[in-house]
Amino acid sequence: MSSDEITRREVLVLTAATGGLLAGGQLMWGPVSPAAAQDAASTPTPLEVMLRINGKEHRLTLDPRTTLLDAVREHLHLTGSKKGCGLGQCGACTVLMDGKRVKSCLSLAALMEGREITTIEGLAQGEVLHPLQAAFIERDAFQCGYCTSGQIMAGVACINEGHAGSPEEIREWMSGNLCRCGAYDHIVAAIQDAAAAPSATQGG
Amino acid sequence: MTTAFIGQPVSRVDGRQKVTGAARYAAEFDLPRQAHGAIVRSTVANGRIASIDSAAAERGPGVVAVLTHRNAPRLPYSPHKGAVDPQVGERLHVLQDDRVSHQGQPIALVIADTVEQARHAAALVRVTYTPESWTTDITRVAPVQPTQQKTDQGEVRPPATRRGDPEGALASAEVKVEQTYIHPRENHNPIEMHATIAAWDGDRLTLWDKTQWVHNTAEEIAAVFGIPAQNVRVISPFVGGAFGSSLRTWPHVTLAALGARAAGRPVKVMLSRREMYYGVGYRPHTVQQVALGASRDGRLAAIMHDGYQETSTYEEFSEALLNASRFLYSCPNVDTRHRLARMNVHTPTYMRAPGEASGVFALESAMDELAVALNMDPVELRLLNEPERDEFKKLPFSSRSTRACYRAAAERFGWSRRSAQPRSMRDGRLLIGWGMATATYPMNFAPASAMARLLPDGTAEVTSAASDMGPGTWTSMTQVAAEALGLPIERVKFVLGDTRLPNAPVHGGSLTMASVGSAVQAACRKAREDALARGGANDLLEAVRRIGQPVEASVDTNPGDESQRFSMHAFGAVFVEVAVDPDLGETRVRSMVGAYGAGRIVNPKLTRSQCIGGMIGGIGMALMEHAVLDARNGRVPNANLAEYPVPVHADTPPVMEAIFVEEHDLHVNPLGVKGVGEIAMVGVAPAITNAIFHATGKRIRELPATPDKLL
Amino acid sequence: MHPFTLERPRDLPAALAFGAQAGRNDAPAEYIAGGTDMVQLLQEYVRRPDRLISLAGLLDNRVEIGPQGLRLGAAATMADVAAHPRIIEQFPVISEALLNSASPQVRNQATMGGNLLQRTRCPYFRDVGYAACNKRAPGSGCAAVGGENRWHAVLGTSEHCIAANPSDLAVALVALGASVEVRRAGGDRTVPLAEFHRLPGDAPHLETVLEPGEVITAITVPASPMARRSHYLKVRDRASFEFAVVSAAVALDMDGGTIRQARVALGGVGTKPWRVPRVEAALAGGGLDPAALRRAAALAADGAQGRGHNDFKIELMQRAIVRAVEIAGARA
């Protein structure tokens, strides 16, 4: 509201009219009801959670609010899976769950018991890179590298699903993974290369 | 064994780290006893905090401390302005008083054991405000002249320039175009969200931070806390994209340090995606009027370009919106005026090709409109107005390859098959359009330092506190170093991103290759010469073996007087094919060819990546990106990555080409490089909207070109 | 996230006993299945249940096709339904709507039941920095009316709420006359999908007819000759991975070049998945010539109300109908 030329009284009216849209002059994360505020002092019961990540079992005591992504990053220090939004809108957190690609930021860790989770750290066989990892280097399919883990995990799934038939198909089936550096053209080339490699359909 | 690495398509030396998830970014240096910080942000655009109640937050499980303006220590905030900071105004101070000047301003910091606890406790802080009148509607702001900025180098960016008699020439011009072009606010949105881990050891502070300039971060935080800069160490080996958002040191870095001091523990602060719209800058909304006058045969008689952009109430940020209009074409009568719309928003900042991206959108749209009015091919119009020298600076160009770029790109694109008439090309239901635009970005060269260390085993470590947000500094510097040392590339290790290393300039403005590269080259040459001399051998390996201890050479490089003698810019041309669905209004880019005269290309593999990446960024700018500012209150309702669309894989044109025309520029810097990071973004949006006009006959003068504008 | 107790009941009756309620922000307990929308809303403090009851493993995830039609278990994932060969063959509009939704990852996680219950993308609903949202906080006002409303609905709105329903799947399903099977402690009930979502009226916080303790167990779609010749058309700003600006689901029963019967529904424009019976009636008996299609599609604008930024949707949705009918009509 440009209020350069309006009077103080109008300002007050405007404040009443449009300021009221906002969180009652509250905080960015919004008003919490008094009852909820009191309740908040209580600790949510921590949960014992057994997560199976890259073939290894991890027993963790987790806040029920902890997402699978935060569990691997903050608790297991497997920071290869990236957080780019925490809202399922970027794909940087992509992991494989029972061989299928999922966004780990949208899953509560406590609900992942019994699932086989593969992260980027579990993709290479020792020192031998997965063909898609090697193709990413060869094709220069990344710049800053932050979306790369998610692109590779999604790309592995894309190949395994049989969605790597043409560049157009790859582009559609990789569209859940944003790359702000704009490496898309090279990512598609890398996926095509890896799809043609003999040992590509593995990993997760 | 070859050691000629410059110009070779070397794969990234940090590639393995990046494809295995081993590369560590700012938030990934977890420390023992580390706590987590969450920021409470204002929900008014202007006013004072009337009350702030943190009692419930303090009682929250795991909460260590809640800092507000009432209990936070008063910080010295000593004067400090880096080259990336606006020269007029004062940076935002956090938790120092009850003033709020914009939405999303940090007003409290909660520290807790876990990120879940910190975020929740932040939601329990109760705030009331005494709002004051505010300005958040750019359509109702009277733009003002920027404060005259005198710097050591003189007025780097004059707010207004004038030559000849632009009004007279325009009035008498045979053909005229006068239009207004609008570019909305855009956010950098790197996929890595900004994060800082701060750890104090007595009065020494270590920051793991997402930054494009470690030394500036150290200096800024030292100034804020009133401690010597050498007490602040900043570590930033990998930056998950930035595009300008990590140039300045933003308030959350201060908050992380403040929180760590209050908690007596290391503290990590990672912004949420929504917070990324309220505290790390953005490309400002701009409104530009362009008037072109020309003779019937297409010679420019007048260029008038008047633009204004949003800035905050506390700083005057201005970008190089009008620079290109002053010299890109030959024209005797030119008037440019830059103004600022002061609003209750946080300060905008540089975003990939700052100024040029938006300014050239206006100029190159107007040029296309002029070509239409003249019934002339748009390439021909540009060739006709090609200047022999920079008519603004009155200097020769160090090199200018526009003609070669038009030719190379047009040929690859197949431009000669273009049918001039709008709506004359079709593919089934779809309308096909071909458009083009010119691109330019200045060659920047800043002082830099580097150190080369040759070891007796014949390996070398080369260091400079540079940054790599994606272009490949790790790799290109290794190439330059290996070539200068005459060593195989595997024997050379380049290290960056730490204030303990020799000073490097800001990683922005496409100046890293020119500046750091020149320093690295010089340091390596010196180390090699020293080793050969001291070792008394013609063979380097033999020499260092004989010396038996490390040989070090440090070099500081500085620009000479070349900027007084030459106008130095990279130039390019972008050609685009779009398909527009005339019924549904959807535009998709089918083909994009960019040709660039950017001096020497150190690594064509990485440079191609950078260029096609910039083109993708340009598609976002042209077709979808728009951070909507709610004019009623200054919030950004679409502050996420779902309602703020950026290009996805499916938006990639099936054909993308980046051509580097041969260019040997002996004047710009010792390496002869110009940088391509920014220019790749320039010209893309107007090439697309010009192609949309060619497809549909509809001129898009307000970005982005979404379906609603094409019905 | 607001602290919650996470319950992982052993079976469905135990889950129902918690009496959680879908789609209401004031519900103290909520169910979570795929979680792809729920976790976003928890992260942003839009939903703050004290209890979250997991439905993982408790619901049917099968896809069954018989002479009566199609039955989708509530826990079937978007990916599994979209890829089902007989759905692709017999109900292409469903597969297409799903494949045009979200991302491959989310389609592996998100379920049929959850898809119908996903909350609006209205940015004011999702930014708790705005106090005014009648859907989030009943009686607080609507920031979208008079605000930035390019994202918002033009059909079924009220002065209290103009938020658009975001589901693509629901648009396809409502066109095909689908029903929702609901279980509660006392037994089952079936609700036509067209009656499942509520109009905002003066109570936009009530989004569906679900009562506390009710859970979607399945979606059924009656067999129909039209489903085979169906199409989902989605208009958006970028080429993929985006909610609809406007969408149209169309199913046709053709007799040569004549439309015997048609089903048409719209997305991105309605406060609920929006079927347009008047358009269907006008199409029936006619051909595929563009002028006739345009005349029929124009009836979709009945009662449409733009709020400024979204005015264009009234025209665009008509064009989307025309295009979708043309494409479906051209199908064998």
Side-chain angles (χ1 to χ4, degrees), chain A residues 1-3 25-28 66 73 82 84 89 127 133 138 140 143-144 174 180-181 184-186, chain B residues 12 16 18-19 25 28 43 125 127 129 134 136 140 188 273 605 608-609 613 625 631 641 647 649:
Chain A
M1 196 63 48
S2 171
S3 44
Q26 304 295 323
L27 44 120
M28 177 145 180
T66 304
R73 278 175 68 83
K82 303 303 183 191
Q89 297 165 358
E127 286 299 295
Q133 290 174 307
E138 181 55 33
D140 204 38
Q143 292 180 47
C144 78
M174 286 298 292
R180 193 61 164 152
C181 299
Y184 296 134
D185 204 36
H186 292 176
Chain B
R12 284 174 201 261
R16 195 180 174 94
K18 286 179 173 173
V19 302
Y25 298 78
E28 298 165 2
T43 54
V125 177
V127 190
Y129 302 91
W134 66 98
T136 48
R140 297 183 57 187
H188 309 73
R273 183 54 64 179
K605 186 174 191 166
R608 178 184 146 82
S609 291
E625 293 187 39
L641 285 172
H649 272 276

Side-chain angles (χ1 to χ4, degrees), chain B residues 15 514 667:
Chain B
H667 307 297

Side-chain angles (χ1 to χ4, degrees), chain A residues 2 6 37-38 42 54 78 81 86 124 131 138 153 171 183 185 191-192:
Chain A
S2 171
I6 55 183
Q38 281 161 18
S42 63
N54 300 329
L78 292 171
S81 304
E138 181 55 33
M153 299 314 287
R171 282 195 283 271
D185 204 36
I191 291 173
Q192 284 186 285

Side-chain angles (χ1 to χ4, degrees), chain A residues 1-6 8 11 14-15 18-19 21-33 36-38 40-44 63 65-67 70 73-75 77 79-87 89-90 92 120-121 124 126-129 133-134 136-140 142-149 151-152 170-172 174-175 177-188 191, chain B residues 11-12 15-16 18-21 23-25 27-28 30 36 39-41 43-44 59 61 103-104 115-117 119-120 122-129 131 133-137 140-142 187-193 239-241 243 268 270 272-275 278 351-352 469-471 605-606 608-610 612-614 616 625 631-633 635 640-642 644 646-650 652-654 656:
Chain A
M1 196 63 48
S2 171
S3 44
D4 289 356
E5 67 275 48
I6 55 183
R8 165 119 185 103
V11 169
L14 283 168
T15 305
T18 67
L21 289 172
L22 298 171
Q26 304 295 323
L27 44 120
M28 177 145 180
W29 302 114
V32 172
S33 67
Q38 281 161 18
S42 63
T43 314
D63 190 310
R65 295 172 290 186
T66 304
T67 62
D70 284 336
R73 278 175 68 83
E74 303 292 337
H75 294 264
H77 304 289
T79 54
S81 304
K82 303 303 183 191
K83 186 185 275 190
C85 67
L87 300 169
Q89 297 165 358
C90 77
I120 189 74
E121 289 92 347
E127 286 299 295
V128 183
L129 295 179
Q133 290 174 307
F136 260 60
I137 297 176
E138 181 55 33
R139 289 289 189 166
D140 204 38
F142 51 90
Q143 292 180 47
C144 78
Y146 197 79
C147 75
T148 309
S149 305
Q151 299 279 359
I152 291 174
I170 295 169
R171 282 195 283 271
E172 173 57 33
M174 286 298 292
S175 281
N177 292 77
L178 308 184
C179 171
R180 193 61 164 152
C181 299
Y184 296 134
D185 204 36
H186 292 176
I187 293 169
V188 169
I191 291 173
Chain B
S11 291
R12 284 174 201 261
R16 195 180 174 94
K18 286 179 173 173
V19 302
T20 56
R24 286 164 88 193
Y25 298 78
E28 298 165 2
D30 290 323
H36 295 262
I39 299 169
V40 181
R41 292 174 183 272
T43 54
V44 294
R59 284 200 306 273
Q103 289 274 355
V115 66
E116 292 87 2
Q117 291 166 340
R119 286 256 177 222
H120 181 59
L124 300 178
V125 177
R126 315 277 303 171
V127 190
T128 60
Y129 302 91
S133 66
W134 66 98
T135 302
T136 48
D137 184 348
R140 297 183 57 187
V141 183
N187 282 71
H188 309 73
N189 274 322
I191 303 298
E192 182 199 17
M193 300 183 291
V239 176
F243 317 105
K268 170 153 79 178
M270 186 180 213
S272 69
R273 183 54 64 179
R274 189 179 294 282
E275 288 183 280
Y278 290 103
M351 176 168 162
R352 198 169 193 175
M469 62 174 154
K605 186 174 191 166
L606 273 52
R608 178 184 146 82
S609 291
Q610 232 182 326
I612 63 172
I616 295 286
E625 293 187 39
R632 298 171 298 174
N633 50 50
R635 284 191 81 77
N640 61 34
L641 285 172
Y644 180 105
V646 301
V648 295
H649 272 276
T652 315
M656 292 198 90

Side-chain angles (χ1 to χ4, degrees), chain B residues 383 385-388 400-409:
Chain B
L383 287 170
N385 291 287
E386 183 69 8
E388 291 312 310
R400 175 173 167 125
S401 303
T402 32
R403 286 188 181 91
C405 290
Y406 296 137
R407 198 180 313 117

